[in-house]
Amino acid sequence: MVKTLSPNVRDRRLLWTLSLSAATAAGLLLLILIFLAKEAWPVLSTVGVTSFVMDSSWHPLEGTFGLTPMLAASVAMSALAILIAAPLGVALALFCRFYAMGPVARLFRWAVVLLAGIPSVVLGLWGLTTLVPLINDLRAPGTSLLAGSVVLALMILPTIALTTEAALTSVSQSYWTGASALGLSREAIILAVALPTARNSIAAGVLLASARALGETMAVLMVSGNVVQLPSSLFDPVRTLTANIALEMAYATGTHRASLFVSGLALTLLVLALAAAARRSGGQVVHA
């Protein structure tokens, strides 16, 4: 005879399981932050935070620790990638949700999921062999802020498209029915009802995509040029924080190594801030 659990017992076990999973995830995040802070503390305690902001260059072995050019390059590249990917992602989601026939919509969704599964190094290789020469024809050297932004846009496009479509799907059907009863066209319903109702969830998806863009390393390293400088144009070669860590950690020691952990700590805090902003944006859609 099979013993069945009462609904209350099953609910309690599920609650404990979910609580344990959440606590484990939070604990791992806390341990990562503690590890980064511990490894960065030797240089933070001797040099101070201001040096990482005010120093004009990045030469840790010579006592200059300027992270501002790399932080600016990271933020600028991610922002430009969002400017490229967000309109395309939202448009793709609208097409799949409201315009495409069933088989066509499934084909586009499959293509988006496939794009999300392409390894970043493959996109970086495509950018290095195809995109960089095209940009070089416009202005040398080709490896630049613009190249990195376009590659990042391709990487975060699936995140924006899929989260936007999920947000639009969650909008109550009664909104669409009521608007149609008032005689509004499909375009008017999309602009005046669907998008405003789902805007918080769409914004949350865009912010999470921004965090994804900030954390990318290999593809950006391959196409951005890796020159530590404040970008003055889209065609300037730049180095991001993630690329800097990947390039220098293998041989860094002492203060140099600790300063790279400061880079990692700054990047982690920035990503956490974006995640918190996504959480505060609501991520909710309104239901009737």
Side-chain angles (χ1 to χ4, degrees), residues 23-54:
T24 301
L28 289 174
L29 177 59
L30 181 60
L31 288 175
I32 291 172
L33 288 174
I34 291 174
F35 170 75
L36 290 173
K38 176 178 177 294
E39 295 294 331
W41 180 249
V43 69
L44 287 176
S45 61
T46 55
V47 176
V49 176
T50 56
S51 294
F52 289 93
V53 179
M54 302 302 296

Side-chain angles (χ1 to χ4, degrees), residues 5-71:
L5 298 175
S6 67
N8 288 337
V9 173
R10 289 199 301 267
D11 290 345
R12 285 198 296 269
R13 289 190 176 183
L14 177 61
L15 177 61
W16 277 106
T17 301
L18 294 177
S19 299
L20 180 61
S21 300
T24 301
L28 289 174
L29 177 59
L30 181 60
L31 288 175
I32 291 172
L33 288 174
I34 291 174
F35 170 75
L36 290 173
K38 176 178 177 294
E39 295 294 331
W41 180 249
V43 69
L44 287 176
S45 61
T46 55
V47 176
V49 176
T50 56
S51 294
F52 289 93
V53 179
M54 302 302 296
D55 284 357
S56 59
S57 61
W58 170 261
H59 296 98
L61 297 179
E62 300 174 8
T64 56
F65 301 90
L67 291 181
T68 300
M70 291 178 285
L71 181 60

